[in-house]
Amino acid sequence: MSIRVFVESAETDEFKGTSARTGKDFCFFKQKAHVFLHGSRFPERIELAHNSPSDALRPGDYTLDVEQALAVDRFGGLGIDSRKLVFVPAAPKAQTSATGSAATTAQAK
């Protein structure tokens, strides 16, 4: 099963603090994206977490293979391990014949 994800911007927001449970400092970077879930009429906004701003995805369409990230959680339920998610850039869309012929006409002039 693959899911379509759209990233509009490579911009990230820093999120840092101190863990209430361990007392250790943490820092990660959130990136906004949209996911197109099966059966949904509109895309849903999601946030992707990165260790560094340089890890942010470039703007564009991606496919996400969920099977690679399936895991059993600490309560014995089925979940998704977000650290194992792999975002694959979608193939560029092919030019339509109308667009292609317009480009050819422009080049001929």
Side-chain angles (χ1 to χ4, degrees):
M1 167 192 231
S2 65
I3 296 175
R4 179 178 166 223
V5 175
F6 175 71
V7 176
E8 189 170 339
S9 169
E11 182 179 319
T12 60
D13 295 319
E14 184 178 34
F15 186 76
K16 62 182 175 178
T18 304
S19 170
R21 188 172 58 88
T22 65
K24 292 184 178 181
D25 291 336
F26 63 86
C27 179
F28 63 93
F29 298 84
K30 295 181 189 180
Q31 181 180 23
K32 294 177 180 114
H34 290 86
V35 63
F36 296 81
L37 298 174
H38 179 71
S40 291
R41 187 169 177 191
F42 299 104
E44 298 279 340
R45 185 174 147 201
I46 61 172
E47 290 183 338
L48 308 174
H50 304 290
N51 291 327
S52 162
S54 64
D55 295 335
L57 298 175
R58 291 183 175 175
D61 281 306
Y62 293 83
T63 57
L64 180 60
D65 186 354
V66 177
E67 287 182 40
Q68 296 177 15
L70 290 177
V72 177
D73 65 22
R74 63 184 177 159
F75 302 109
L78 186 61
I80 295 177
D81 184 345
S82 62
R83 297 167 297 184
K84 294 182 179 177
L85 292 174
V86 177
F87 294 85
V88 179
K93 294 180 181 176
Q95 283 187 342
T96 62
S97 59
T99 305
S101 61
T104 306
T105 305
Q107 289 177 352
K109 290 183 178 181

